[in-house]
Structures are given as structure tokens and as C-alpha cells.
Amino acid sequence: MPRLSKKFWFQLHGWFSLPVWILFCFICVTGTVSVISHELTWLTNSDARASNPYNLPAKPIAELITAVEQQFPTADVTSVLTYESYLVNAVVFTDTDKPFAVAYVNQYSGEVQAVYQTISFIEFMRTLHGWLFFPWQEGYSIGYYLVSAMAFVILGALITGLVIYKNFWRAFTQPKLRFNQGRKTLLKDLHTLSGVWSIWFMLIMSLTGLWYLVQAIMWHNEIDIEEHAPTVSVTELPNTQQAPLTDLSAALAITKAKFPDFEPSYIMLPEHNRGMYNIMGRGDTIFYDDYAFSTAINPWTGEIAASKSPASMTAVQTLSHIADPLHYGTIGGIWTKIIWFIFGCILSGMSITGFMMWQSKRTKVTPAVQQQSTLAETTN
């Protein structure tokens, strides 16, 4: 078998990025912004800040819902989202003149600070990065496939880059960045140095991206990763129009009793008399996402109809719940977010410097190619 030349590997390295350069760069940039979208929301939107000058404890979520219902008597609250302690809770509801609305409620003061009828900046960036706002139809989105497929671009660029640059580990002990030898040399040094220091980051992005692709294929083929939320049996419904015996506060208490370190992140209220409280949140594990712990509480009996935690997950469910913290760098709070943001900027910059290097070489080679082409035509 003939040995593949360095020129071949270099060309292959380029082709893993250049044909989809704009899309790849865009996905890198939006993903980088998504990592700190919560912090950017706090900086840019005063309505989203959960100010607490008197160090008050957080109010029960049921009280926050009551605050919204008092301001909008005909509102139908469907769900509640909680974020970091410095951001308000988001109470999602519908009303006669609001098909979709989100109330930003300060969990310390109980004040409704704002009401929006559009998605938040956090959701906007996650959607833009996750599936480019392509619509979902029959369990799949073309955009989700496009974004997930970028995992092959990152992995291919990583492997070919390591083949091209022999002894790459020297960039850790003897980093080389030459500013006085021209633009081409500086671009090459920047690209090489960034690539070597980003090996771990590119590996995480490519592996989590491949999982997202597998997940998309499973969704498309109706292969369930999580069990569907249960509904109340008809036989358990009361004969009269009485109110449910278990309210939201009791349902949260039941969940807390089952998972002592539980902190809610998403609560879905019953949509009808057979619906349940679907409560999801985080626990004492750093590698799992904010939905790793969950319960489905029967509002009529107070029983836990279904529950989930890392201890009870299948291997596929585990992958599903650890992918996001690794992909977005939330495993260590703000400090790992900062690291992920920095290396996201580096990866975005690598796509730009790689294109500039290719463009520079193309500009240099093109006149010679054109001259050879003209000479050939004259000869013929």
C-alpha cells in the first residue's frame, strides 16, 4: 500500500473545513455565545435580574404562580423554569389576548418584573445554534442534522491536523508565534498553536456532536430515549368536580423527599384532569444536566407515578443527560463556562485563520495555474 504524502493530508485537512466554512464558523460563534447566554442576559436585560438586596430566601414556586394569576386573572399557567440564582424565574402562561407569554418573576420579592410574548435570548441562541431555526416535522429537523454533522468536520480536521503536524506536543512546551516573518507565517503559527491547545476541546465537541447526531436519528425513527409522561388512569378520577388533593407545593415536597438534594429547573403543570405534575431538576451530580432528576406526581393521589435519576438511567439515557453539560461547559458553573467560552472563541478563530491561509495560498497559486492553462490552449 503506497504511503500517503503530507500534501494529501494537508489537502484533506482543508477539505474537512473549507466546503462548509461559513456554516461551520457560524455554528462555532453561536455555540460560543450560547455558553454565556445566561450571563449575557443578566448583563443586558435588567428585567431578568433577580435582585435581592435584603438577602431574602426564595419564595415557593406556587407563590410566584399566584403572583402571575393575580395580575392576569384569566391566565392559564402551563410551566415554570428556574435558572441560576441571579436570574428570575420564568412563568409560562396563556391568556385570552396572549397565545404565548412568559412572566419574569423575581423569586425573592415575588414581583412580576416583565411579561414577554417572545422567546428569551437564552432560548433564541440555543435554537439558533442547535438547529438554525429550521422547523421540526415528523420528529426531525434538517437544521439539527446539519449542525450535528459538523462533528465529522471537527473530528476530521483534528485527526488530519495531528497527522500533518508531527511532534505537535512541542507546542505545549515550546510555543512558537512569529510576528516578524510575515502574515502567512503568523497565520500558520496561530492556527497550529490554537489547534494543539484545543485538542481536548475539539474532541469533546466532536464526540458530543456525534451523540447529537445519533440522538437525531433515534428521534427520526421514533426510538424513545425517555419514557413518555404517564397520565392519570380514568379509574382514579373522582366522580365529582372536586379540586386535586395534591397542589404544586405538595408535589415539590414529595419530589424533595425522594431526592433530598433536588432543585427544580422545569415544572409542567397538569394540562387536564388526567395530567400530572411533571417536575424536573438537578441534584448533587455535576456531570448531569438540569433535567436528570424527575418525577411525575399524580395530583389526585399524591403518588409518584414515574421517576428518574442518574442511578436508574440506561446507558443511552445517561449519554443524553451528560452531553449538554460537556458540550456547553456547565459542569463547573461560571468557571468552566469561561473556559469553554475562551476555547469556543479559539475554535471560531481557527476556522477563520484556516480560511485565510487557504485563500492566501489560492491567490498565490491561481496566476500560475491560469498561465499554464493559457499556454496549453495556445499550444493546442
Side-chain angles (χ1 to χ4, degrees):
M1 181 177 177
R3 182 181 179 183
L4 298 176
S5 66
K6 184 176 181 179
K7 181 179 179 182
F8 167 82
W9 286 109
F10 189 85
Q11 290 176 337
L12 184 61
H13 179 74
W15 277 106
F16 266 113
S17 300
L18 295 178
V20 290
W21 176 78
I22 295 178
L23 178 61
F24 179 72
C25 184
F26 180 79
I27 292 172
C28 288
V29 171
T30 54
T32 302
V33 175
S34 294
V35 168
I36 58 169
S37 59
H38 291 214
E39 290 70 26
L40 288 175
T41 297
W42 184 90
L43 284 171
T44 60
N45 188 351
S46 59
D47 293 333
R49 297 174 191 164
S51 57
N52 187 20
Y54 302 109
N55 293 320
L56 299 172
K59 293 180 178 296
I61 293 176
E63 287 189 25
L64 307 184
I65 294 176
T66 300
V68 174
E69 292 174 338
Q70 288 176 346
Q71 187 166 331
F72 302 94
T74 57
D76 180 18
V77 176
T78 58
S79 57
V80 180
L81 294 91
T82 69
Y83 302 102
E84 288 87 350
S85 59
Y86 55 81
L87 291 177
V88 296
N89 286 189
V91 179
V92 182
F93 68 96
T94 61
D95 206 344
T96 52
D97 59 342
K98 297 178 180 64
F100 172 83
V102 182
Y104 285 9
V105 188
N106 188 316
Q107 62 269 33
Y108 307 110
S109 66
E111 177 189 359
V112 179
Q113 298 184 171
V115 175
Y116 292 88
Q117 298 188 58
T118 57
I119 62 174
S120 67
F121 176 73
I122 296 170
E123 293 171 317
F124 173 82
M125 289 308 307
R126 287 293 180 99
T127 302
L128 186 62
H129 173 66
W131 54 90
L132 308 172
F133 273 96
F134 276 76
W136 285 82
Q137 49 189 354
E138 298 180 2
Y140 77 95
S141 168
I142 295 175
Y144 198 94
Y145 276 122
L146 286 174
V147 174
S148 302
M150 292 300 107
F152 291 110
V153 174
I154 300 177
L155 188 60
L158 174 61
I159 293 173
T160 54
L162 293 177
V163 172
I164 293 169
Y165 299 108
K166 306 294 184 183
N167 303 323
F168 64 87
W169 53 86
R170 292 178 181 173
F172 293 114
T173 57
Q174 302 173 7
K176 183 169 56 176
L177 201 58
R178 294 165 289 184
F179 292 94
N180 57 352
Q181 296 188 24
R183 174 174 175 270
K184 182 178 179 181
T185 300
L186 179 59
L187 285 175
K188 179 180 179 297
D189 288 348
L190 275 172
H191 191 78
T192 304
L193 192 63
S194 298
V196 172
W197 280 83
S198 300
I199 290 174
W200 67 273
F201 185 73
M202 294 174 68
L203 190 60
I204 290 176
M205 293 302 105
S206 59
L207 292 179
T208 52
L210 288 174
W211 163 249
Y212 292 141
L213 182 60
V214 172
Q215 186 173 252
I217 295 172
M218 294 177 71
W219 287 339
H220 196 171
N221 290 275
E222 300 182 351
I223 300 174
D224 292 330
I225 297 176
E226 307 280 0
E227 295 182 0
H228 293 285
T231 57
V232 177
S233 172
V234 175
T235 58
E236 293 179 320
L237 295 176
N239 296 325
T240 62
Q241 296 296 322
Q242 70 180 59
L245 301 176
T246 305
D247 59 12
L248 177 58
S249 296
L252 286 169
I254 293 169
T255 304
K256 186 78 172 177
K258 183 170 182 62
F259 306 122
D261 297 312
F262 178 84
E263 292 294 334
S265 58
Y266 179 73
I267 299 169
M268 182 181 294
L269 303 181
E271 297 181 359
H272 42 74
N273 63 351
R274 293 190 61 192
M276 295 196 182
Y277 292 108
N278 291 294
I279 302 172
M280 306 175 198
R282 61 192 75 87
D284 59 348
T285 54
I286 64 172
F287 285 104
Y288 289 82
D289 62 18
D290 290 344
Y291 309 98
F293 293 81
S294 67
T295 58
I297 308 293
N298 187 324
W300 303 104
T301 64
E303 296 178 351
I304 299 177
S307 66
K308 178 189 65 187
S309 69
S312 63
M313 288 181 184
T314 64
V316 173
Q317 289 172 341
T318 299
L319 288 174
S320 179
H321 286 279
I322 67 174
D324 273 7
L326 290 173
H327 194 76
Y328 291 101
T330 59
I331 55 177
I334 185 63
W335 298 111
T336 50
K337 283 186 179 183
I338 292 173
I339 295 172
W340 259 245
F341 175 76
I342 292 172
F343 279 91
C345 291
I346 292 174
L347 186 58
S348 303
M350 286 174 59
S351 68
I352 296 173
T353 55
F355 178 79
M356 292 173 68
M357 290 166 59
W358 174 81
Q359 184 67 20
S360 177
K361 176 171 287 192
R362 182 176 180 275
T363 303
K364 182 178 179 181
V365 172
T366 298
V369 173
Q370 289 179 343
Q371 184 177 0
Q372 291 178 4
S373 178
T374 303
L375 181 61
E377 291 178 1
T378 304
T379 303
N380 293 336

PDB file of all heavy atoms in Angstrom, residues 320-352:
ATOM      1  N   SER A 320     -27.567  10.929  27.030  1.00  0.00           N
ATOM      2  CA  SER A 320     -28.450  12.044  26.721  1.00  0.00           C
ATOM      3  C   SER A 320     -28.349  13.154  27.756  1.00  0.00           C
ATOM      4  O   SER A 320     -28.446  14.332  27.407  1.00  0.00           O
ATOM      5  CB  SER A 320     -29.898  11.532  26.632  1.00  0.00           C
ATOM      6  OG  SER A 320     -30.788  12.588  26.353  1.00  0.00           O
ATOM      7  N   HIS A 321     -28.117  12.786  29.018  1.00  0.00           N
ATOM      8  CA  HIS A 321     -28.128  13.780  30.089  1.00  0.00           C
ATOM      9  C   HIS A 321     -26.747  14.322  30.454  1.00  0.00           C
ATOM     10  O   HIS A 321     -26.675  15.305  31.213  1.00  0.00           O
ATOM     11  CB  HIS A 321     -28.797  13.202  31.332  1.00  0.00           C
ATOM     12  CG  HIS A 321     -30.284  13.093  31.203  1.00  0.00           C
ATOM     13  ND1 HIS A 321     -31.131  14.166  31.402  1.00  0.00           N
ATOM     14  CD2 HIS A 321     -31.092  12.044  30.864  1.00  0.00           C
ATOM     15  CE1 HIS A 321     -32.382  13.789  31.218  1.00  0.00           C
ATOM     16  NE2 HIS A 321     -32.388  12.500  30.884  1.00  0.00           N
ATOM     17  N   ILE A 322     -25.677  13.727  29.934  1.00  0.00           N
ATOM     18  CA  ILE A 322     -24.348  14.288  30.199  1.00  0.00           C
ATOM     19  C   ILE A 322     -23.796  15.031  28.986  1.00  0.00           C
ATOM     20  O   ILE A 322     -22.787  15.735  29.103  1.00  0.00           O
ATOM     21  CB  ILE A 322     -23.345  13.203  30.635  1.00  0.00           C
ATOM     22  CG1 ILE A 322     -23.057  12.223  29.484  1.00  0.00           C
ATOM     23  CG2 ILE A 322     -23.823  12.478  31.882  1.00  0.00           C
ATOM     24  CD1 ILE A 322     -21.963  11.216  29.808  1.00  0.00           C
ATOM     25  N   ALA A 323     -24.443  14.912  27.843  1.00  0.00           N
ATOM     26  CA  ALA A 323     -23.940  15.553  26.624  1.00  0.00           C
ATOM     27  C   ALA A 323     -23.948  17.079  26.734  1.00  0.00           C
ATOM     28  O   ALA A 323     -22.942  17.735  26.432  1.00  0.00           O
ATOM     29  CB  ALA A 323     -24.757  15.099  25.412  1.00  0.00           C
ATOM     30  N   ASP A 324     -25.072  17.657  27.167  1.00  0.00           N
ATOM     31  CA  ASP A 324     -25.174  19.119  27.237  1.00  0.00           C
ATOM     32  C   ASP A 324     -24.177  19.755  28.203  1.00  0.00           C
ATOM     33  O   ASP A 324     -23.523  20.745  27.850  1.00  0.00           O
ATOM     34  CB  ASP A 324     -26.600  19.531  27.602  1.00  0.00           C
ATOM     35  CG  ASP A 324     -27.493  19.653  26.374  1.00  0.00           C
ATOM     36  OD1 ASP A 324     -27.041  19.289  25.267  1.00  0.00           O
ATOM     37  OD2 ASP A 324     -28.645  20.102  26.513  1.00  0.00           O
ATOM     38  N   PRO A 325     -24.039  19.242  29.442  1.00  0.00           N
ATOM     39  CA  PRO A 325     -23.037  19.848  30.335  1.00  0.00           C
ATOM     40  C   PRO A 325     -21.624  19.811  29.767  1.00  0.00           C
ATOM     41  O   PRO A 325     -20.847  20.756  29.963  1.00  0.00           O
ATOM     42  CB  PRO A 325     -23.143  18.986  31.596  1.00  0.00           C
ATOM     43  CG  PRO A 325     -24.548  18.485  31.585  1.00  0.00           C
ATOM     44  CD  PRO A 325     -24.858  18.227  30.134  1.00  0.00           C
ATOM     45  N   LEU A 326     -21.283  18.739  29.047  1.00  0.00           N
ATOM     46  CA  LEU A 326     -19.965  18.667  28.427  1.00  0.00           C
ATOM     47  C   LEU A 326     -19.864  19.590  27.215  1.00  0.00           C
ATOM     48  O   LEU A 326     -18.830  20.212  26.971  1.00  0.00           O
ATOM     49  CB  LEU A 326     -19.660  17.225  28.012  1.00  0.00           C
ATOM     50  CG  LEU A 326     -19.403  16.235  29.144  1.00  0.00           C
ATOM     51  CD1 LEU A 326     -19.298  14.814  28.599  1.00  0.00           C
ATOM     52  CD2 LEU A 326     -18.142  16.598  29.908  1.00  0.00           C
ATOM     53  N   HIS A 327     -20.944  19.694  26.458  1.00  0.00           N
ATOM     54  CA  HIS A 327     -20.924  20.496  25.236  1.00  0.00           C
ATOM     55  C   HIS A 327     -20.914  21.993  25.547  1.00  0.00           C
ATOM     56  O   HIS A 327     -20.239  22.774  24.867  1.00  0.00           O
ATOM     57  CB  HIS A 327     -22.137  20.146  24.381  1.00  0.00           C
ATOM     58  CG  HIS A 327     -22.057  20.648  22.977  1.00  0.00           C
ATOM     59  ND1 HIS A 327     -21.273  20.050  22.010  1.00  0.00           N
ATOM     60  CD2 HIS A 327     -22.639  21.710  22.356  1.00  0.00           C
ATOM     61  CE1 HIS A 327     -21.389  20.699  20.870  1.00  0.00           C
ATOM     62  NE2 HIS A 327     -22.205  21.721  21.057  1.00  0.00           N
ATOM     63  N   TYR A 328     -21.661  22.390  26.572  1.00  0.00           N
ATOM     64  CA  TYR A 328     -21.784  23.817  26.899  1.00  0.00           C
ATOM     65  C   TYR A 328     -20.953  24.237  28.110  1.00  0.00           C
ATOM     66  O   TYR A 328     -20.962  25.415  28.488  1.00  0.00           O
ATOM     67  CB  TYR A 328     -23.250  24.175  27.143  1.00  0.00           C
ATOM     68  CG  TYR A 328     -24.094  24.113  25.902  1.00  0.00           C
ATOM     69  CD1 TYR A 328     -24.909  23.010  25.650  1.00  0.00           C
ATOM     70  CD2 TYR A 328     -24.069  25.136  24.962  1.00  0.00           C
ATOM     71  CE1 TYR A 328     -25.692  22.944  24.500  1.00  0.00           C
ATOM     72  CE2 TYR A 328     -24.844  25.076  23.806  1.00  0.00           C
ATOM     73  CZ  TYR A 328     -25.654  23.974  23.593  1.00  0.00           C
ATOM     74  OH  TYR A 328     -26.418  23.904  22.450  1.00  0.00           O
ATOM     75  N   GLY A 329     -20.246  23.312  28.719  1.00  0.00           N
ATOM     76  CA  GLY A 329     -19.329  23.671  29.795  1.00  0.00           C
ATOM     77  C   GLY A 329     -19.974  24.093  31.086  1.00  0.00           C
ATOM     78  O   GLY A 329     -19.403  24.905  31.825  1.00  0.00           O
ATOM     79  N   THR A 330     -21.127  23.519  31.423  1.00  0.00           N
ATOM     80  CA  THR A 330     -21.813  23.900  32.657  1.00  0.00           C
ATOM     81  C   THR A 330     -21.434  23.010  33.836  1.00  0.00           C
ATOM     82  O   THR A 330     -22.000  23.165  34.918  1.00  0.00           O
ATOM     83  CB  THR A 330     -23.338  23.838  32.458  1.00  0.00           C
ATOM     84  OG1 THR A 330     -23.718  22.505  32.069  1.00  0.00           O
ATOM     85  CG2 THR A 330     -23.780  24.809  31.375  1.00  0.00           C
ATOM     86  N   ILE A 331     -20.493  22.113  33.652  1.00  0.00           N
ATOM     87  CA  ILE A 331     -20.174  21.130  34.700  1.00  0.00           C
ATOM     88  C   ILE A 331     -19.586  21.781  35.952  1.00  0.00           C
ATOM     89  O   ILE A 331     -19.702  21.233  37.040  1.00  0.00           O
ATOM     90  CB  ILE A 331     -19.209  20.050  34.177  1.00  0.00           C
ATOM     91  CG1 ILE A 331     -17.951  20.693  33.588  1.00  0.00           C
ATOM     92  CG2 ILE A 331     -19.885  19.172  33.147  1.00  0.00           C
ATOM     93  CD1 ILE A 331     -16.911  19.699  33.116  1.00  0.00           C
ATOM     94  N   GLY A 332     -18.955  22.929  35.811  1.00  0.00           N
ATOM     95  CA  GLY A 332     -18.330  23.573  36.967  1.00  0.00           C
ATOM     96  C   GLY A 332     -18.800  24.985  37.196  1.00  0.00           C
ATOM     97  O   GLY A 332     -18.082  25.784  37.807  1.00  0.00           O
ATOM     98  N   GLY A 333     -19.990  25.303  36.704  1.00  0.00           N
ATOM     99  CA  GLY A 333     -20.515  26.648  36.902  1.00  0.00           C
ATOM    100  C   GLY A 333     -19.834  27.685  36.032  1.00  0.00           C
ATOM    101  O   GLY A 333     -19.369  27.403  34.925  1.00  0.00           O
ATOM    102  N   ILE A 334     -19.716  28.885  36.557  1.00  0.00           N
ATOM    103  CA  ILE A 334     -19.211  30.015  35.777  1.00  0.00           C
ATOM    104  C   ILE A 334     -17.775  29.812  35.322  1.00  0.00           C
ATOM    105  O   ILE A 334     -17.386  30.254  34.231  1.00  0.00           O
ATOM    106  CB  ILE A 334     -19.335  31.330  36.605  1.00  0.00           C
ATOM    107  CG1 ILE A 334     -18.924  32.544  35.756  1.00  0.00           C
ATOM    108  CG2 ILE A 334     -18.520  31.241  37.866  1.00  0.00           C
ATOM    109  CD1 ILE A 334     -19.797  32.791  34.559  1.00  0.00           C
ATOM    110  N   TRP A 335     -16.963  29.116  36.116  1.00  0.00           N
ATOM    111  CA  TRP A 335     -15.551  28.967  35.773  1.00  0.00           C
ATOM    112  C   TRP A 335     -15.356  28.069  34.555  1.00  0.00           C
ATOM    113  O   TRP A 335     -14.538  28.384  33.676  1.00  0.00           O
ATOM    114  CB  TRP A 335     -14.766  28.431  36.973  1.00  0.00           C
ATOM    115  CG  TRP A 335     -14.805  29.365  38.131  1.00  0.00           C
ATOM    116  CD1 TRP A 335     -15.438  29.184  39.331  1.00  0.00           C
ATOM    117  CD2 TRP A 335     -14.228  30.679  38.194  1.00  0.00           C
ATOM    118  NE1 TRP A 335     -15.295  30.290  40.138  1.00  0.00           N
ATOM    119  CE2 TRP A 335     -14.553  31.223  39.464  1.00  0.00           C
ATOM    120  CE3 TRP A 335     -13.468  31.434  37.299  1.00  0.00           C
ATOM    121  CZ2 TRP A 335     -14.135  32.490  39.849  1.00  0.00           C
ATOM    122  CZ3 TRP A 335     -13.055  32.710  37.692  1.00  0.00           C
ATOM    123  CH2 TRP A 335     -13.382  33.223  38.941  1.00  0.00           C
ATOM    124  N   THR A 336     -16.065  26.964  34.475  1.00  0.00           N
ATOM    125  CA  THR A 336     -15.943  26.136  33.274  1.00  0.00           C
ATOM    126  C   THR A 336     -16.625  26.802  32.081  1.00  0.00           C
ATOM    127  O   THR A 336     -16.195  26.615  30.939  1.00  0.00           O
ATOM    128  CB  THR A 336     -16.549  24.740  33.509  1.00  0.00           C
ATOM    129  OG1 THR A 336     -17.868  24.866  34.060  1.00  0.00           O
ATOM    130  CG2 THR A 336     -15.684  23.916  34.438  1.00  0.00           C
ATOM    131  N   LYS A 337     -17.646  27.595  32.326  1.00  0.00           N
ATOM    132  CA  LYS A 337     -18.254  28.351  31.225  1.00  0.00           C
ATOM    133  C   LYS A 337     -17.238  29.305  30.595  1.00  0.00           C
ATOM    134  O   LYS A 337     -17.177  29.458  29.374  1.00  0.00           O
ATOM    135  CB  LYS A 337     -19.467  29.146  31.723  1.00  0.00           C
ATOM    136  CG  LYS A 337     -20.731  28.334  31.935  1.00  0.00           C
ATOM    137  CD  LYS A 337     -21.881  29.272  32.271  1.00  0.00           C
ATOM    138  CE  LYS A 337     -23.172  28.527  32.472  1.00  0.00           C
ATOM    139  NZ  LYS A 337     -24.300  29.460  32.726  1.00  0.00           N
ATOM    140  N   ILE A 338     -16.456  29.957  31.445  1.00  0.00           N
ATOM    141  CA  ILE A 338     -15.432  30.881  30.939  1.00  0.00           C
ATOM    142  C   ILE A 338     -14.409  30.126  30.100  1.00  0.00           C
ATOM    143  O   ILE A 338     -14.006  30.579  29.017  1.00  0.00           O
ATOM    144  CB  ILE A 338     -14.746  31.614  32.108  1.00  0.00           C
ATOM    145  CG1 ILE A 338     -15.740  32.569  32.790  1.00  0.00           C
ATOM    146  CG2 ILE A 338     -13.518  32.372  31.627  1.00  0.00           C
ATOM    147  CD1 ILE A 338     -15.206  33.220  34.055  1.00  0.00           C
ATOM    148  N   ILE A 339     -13.989  28.959  30.586  1.00  0.00           N
ATOM    149  CA  ILE A 339     -13.017  28.151  29.822  1.00  0.00           C
ATOM    150  C   ILE A 339     -13.605  27.739  28.493  1.00  0.00           C
ATOM    151  O   ILE A 339     -12.947  27.846  27.443  1.00  0.00           O
ATOM    152  CB  ILE A 339     -12.600  26.914  30.649  1.00  0.00           C
ATOM    153  CG1 ILE A 339     -11.841  27.342  31.897  1.00  0.00           C
ATOM    154  CG2 ILE A 339     -11.758  25.969  29.796  1.00  0.00           C
ATOM    155  CD1 ILE A 339     -11.553  26.205  32.861  1.00  0.00           C
ATOM    156  N   TRP A 340     -14.845  27.251  28.488  1.00  0.00           N
ATOM    157  CA  TRP A 340     -15.499  26.832  27.247  1.00  0.00           C
ATOM    158  C   TRP A 340     -15.674  28.023  26.295  1.00  0.00           C
ATOM    159  O   TRP A 340     -15.529  27.881  25.094  1.00  0.00           O
ATOM    160  CB  TRP A 340     -16.843  26.197  27.556  1.00  0.00           C
ATOM    161  CG  TRP A 340     -16.866  24.703  27.534  1.00  0.00           C
ATOM    162  CD1 TRP A 340     -17.555  23.905  26.663  1.00  0.00           C
ATOM    163  CD2 TRP A 340     -16.180  23.788  28.423  1.00  0.00           C
ATOM    164  NE1 TRP A 340     -17.360  22.566  26.952  1.00  0.00           N
ATOM    165  CE2 TRP A 340     -16.509  22.465  28.029  1.00  0.00           C
ATOM    166  CE3 TRP A 340     -15.334  23.973  29.512  1.00  0.00           C
ATOM    167  CZ2 TRP A 340     -16.023  21.345  28.682  1.00  0.00           C
ATOM    168  CZ3 TRP A 340     -14.833  22.855  30.157  1.00  0.00           C
ATOM    169  CH2 TRP A 340     -15.174  21.569  29.742  1.00  0.00           C
ATOM    170  N   PHE A 341     -15.991  29.184  26.854  1.00  0.00           N
ATOM    171  CA  PHE A 341     -16.140  30.384  26.024  1.00  0.00           C
ATOM    172  C   PHE A 341     -14.819  30.751  25.360  1.00  0.00           C
ATOM    173  O   PHE A 341     -14.780  31.061  24.161  1.00  0.00           O
ATOM    174  CB  PHE A 341     -16.641  31.555  26.884  1.00  0.00           C
ATOM    175  CG  PHE A 341     -16.701  32.862  26.142  1.00  0.00           C
ATOM    176  CD1 PHE A 341     -17.718  33.117  25.235  1.00  0.00           C
ATOM    177  CD2 PHE A 341     -15.722  33.833  26.345  1.00  0.00           C
ATOM    178  CE1 PHE A 341     -17.767  34.318  24.541  1.00  0.00           C
ATOM    179  CE2 PHE A 341     -15.768  35.031  25.661  1.00  0.00           C
ATOM    180  CZ  PHE A 341     -16.796  35.285  24.751  1.00  0.00           C
ATOM    181  N   ILE A 342     -13.737  30.712  26.108  1.00  0.00           N
ATOM    182  CA  ILE A 342     -12.418  31.054  25.546  1.00  0.00           C
ATOM    183  C   ILE A 342     -12.049  30.091  24.424  1.00  0.00           C
ATOM    184  O   ILE A 342     -11.635  30.515  23.334  1.00  0.00           O
ATOM    185  CB  ILE A 342     -11.342  31.032  26.659  1.00  0.00           C
ATOM    186  CG1 ILE A 342     -11.572  32.183  27.647  1.00  0.00           C
ATOM    187  CG2 ILE A 342      -9.944  31.111  26.060  1.00  0.00           C
ATOM    188  CD1 ILE A 342     -10.687  32.125  28.876  1.00  0.00           C
ATOM    189  N   PHE A 343     -12.221  28.798  24.658  1.00  0.00           N
ATOM    190  CA  PHE A 343     -11.848  27.835  23.626  1.00  0.00           C
ATOM    191  C   PHE A 343     -12.855  27.825  22.484  1.00  0.00           C
ATOM    192  O   PHE A 343     -12.510  27.454  21.363  1.00  0.00           O
ATOM    193  CB  PHE A 343     -11.675  26.446  24.237  1.00  0.00           C
ATOM    194  CG  PHE A 343     -10.342  26.261  24.896  1.00  0.00           C
ATOM    195  CD1 PHE A 343     -10.169  26.559  26.245  1.00  0.00           C
ATOM    196  CD2 PHE A 343      -9.248  25.833  24.167  1.00  0.00           C
ATOM    197  CE1 PHE A 343      -8.937  26.422  26.849  1.00  0.00           C
ATOM    198  CE2 PHE A 343      -8.001  25.684  24.759  1.00  0.00           C
ATOM    199  CZ  PHE A 343      -7.845  25.980  26.113  1.00  0.00           C
ATOM    200  N   GLY A 344     -14.103  28.247  22.747  1.00  0.00           N
ATOM    201  CA  GLY A 344     -15.046  28.436  21.648  1.00  0.00           C
ATOM    202  C   GLY A 344     -14.594  29.561  20.736  1.00  0.00           C
ATOM    203  O   GLY A 344     -14.703  29.466  19.502  1.00  0.00           O
ATOM    204  N   CYS A 345     -14.075  30.631  21.338  1.00  0.00           N
ATOM    205  CA  CYS A 345     -13.516  31.736  20.540  1.00  0.00           C
ATOM    206  C   CYS A 345     -12.313  31.259  19.739  1.00  0.00           C
ATOM    207  O   CYS A 345     -12.135  31.642  18.570  1.00  0.00           O
ATOM    208  CB  CYS A 345     -13.127  32.893  21.455  1.00  0.00           C
ATOM    209  SG  CYS A 345     -14.512  33.765  22.223  1.00  0.00           S
ATOM    210  N   ILE A 346     -11.481  30.428  20.372  1.00  0.00           N
ATOM    211  CA  ILE A 346     -10.296  29.906  19.681  1.00  0.00           C
ATOM    212  C   ILE A 346     -10.706  29.040  18.489  1.00  0.00           C
ATOM    213  O   ILE A 346     -10.148  29.162  17.397  1.00  0.00           O
ATOM    214  CB  ILE A 346      -9.415  29.107  20.656  1.00  0.00           C
ATOM    215  CG1 ILE A 346      -8.790  30.042  21.695  1.00  0.00           C
ATOM    216  CG2 ILE A 346      -8.325  28.346  19.900  1.00  0.00           C
ATOM    217  CD1 ILE A 346      -8.021  29.323  22.792  1.00  0.00           C
ATOM    218  N   LEU A 347     -11.704  28.160  18.697  1.00  0.00           N
ATOM    219  CA  LEU A 347     -12.161  27.297  17.609  1.00  0.00           C
ATOM    220  C   LEU A 347     -12.764  28.126  16.480  1.00  0.00           C
ATOM    221  O   LEU A 347     -12.533  27.839  15.297  1.00  0.00           O
ATOM    222  CB  LEU A 347     -13.182  26.296  18.139  1.00  0.00           C
ATOM    223  CG  LEU A 347     -13.665  25.221  17.162  1.00  0.00           C
ATOM    224  CD1 LEU A 347     -12.493  24.404  16.640  1.00  0.00           C
ATOM    225  CD2 LEU A 347     -14.686  24.313  17.822  1.00  0.00           C
ATOM    226  N   SER A 348     -13.526  29.161  16.831  1.00  0.00           N
ATOM    227  CA  SER A 348     -14.074  30.052  15.809  1.00  0.00           C
ATOM    228  C   SER A 348     -12.945  30.744  15.064  1.00  0.00           C
ATOM    229  O   SER A 348     -12.983  30.875  13.829  1.00  0.00           O
ATOM    230  CB  SER A 348     -14.993  31.097  16.461  1.00  0.00           C
ATOM    231  OG  SER A 348     -16.038  30.492  17.186  1.00  0.00           O
ATOM    232  N   GLY A 349     -11.934  31.185  15.815  1.00  0.00           N
ATOM    233  CA  GLY A 349     -10.788  31.834  15.181  1.00  0.00           C
ATOM    234  C   GLY A 349     -10.008  30.892  14.285  1.00  0.00           C
ATOM    235  O   GLY A 349      -9.492  31.302  13.233  1.00  0.00           O
ATOM    236  N   MET A 350      -9.922  29.615  14.667  1.00  0.00           N
ATOM    237  CA  MET A 350      -9.219  28.643  13.832  1.00  0.00           C
ATOM    238  C   MET A 350      -9.896  28.471  12.478  1.00  0.00           C
ATOM    239  O   MET A 350      -9.219  28.317  11.452  1.00  0.00           O
ATOM    240  CB  MET A 350      -9.137  27.294  14.553  1.00  0.00           C
ATOM    241  CG  MET A 350      -8.141  27.252  15.680  1.00  0.00           C
ATOM    242  SD  MET A 350      -8.232  25.685  16.580  1.00  0.00           S
ATOM    243  CE  MET A 350      -7.881  24.530  15.266  1.00  0.00           C
ATOM    244  N   SER A 351     -11.223  28.492  12.478  1.00  0.00           N
ATOM    245  CA  SER A 351     -11.932  28.365  11.201  1.00  0.00           C
ATOM    246  C   SER A 351     -11.640  29.568  10.306  1.00  0.00           C
ATOM    247  O   SER A 351     -11.542  29.439   9.082  1.00  0.00           O
ATOM    248  CB  SER A 351     -13.436  28.224  11.443  1.00  0.00           C
ATOM    249  OG  SER A 351     -13.985  29.422  11.949  1.00  0.00           O
ATOM    250  N   ILE A 352     -11.470  30.734  10.930  1.00  0.00           N
ATOM    251  CA  ILE A 352     -11.181  31.951  10.155  1.00  0.00           C
ATOM    252  C   ILE A 352      -9.739  31.951   9.660  1.00  0.00           C
ATOM    253  O   ILE A 352      -9.478  32.227   8.485  1.00  0.00           O
ATOM    254  CB  ILE A 352     -11.466  33.197  11.009  1.00  0.00           C
ATOM    255  CG1 ILE A 352     -12.961  33.272  11.347  1.00  0.00           C
ATOM    256  CG2 ILE A 352     -11.023  34.464  10.289  1.00  0.00           C
ATOM    257  CD1 ILE A 352     -13.325  34.360  12.325  1.00  0.00           C
TER     258      ILE A 352
END
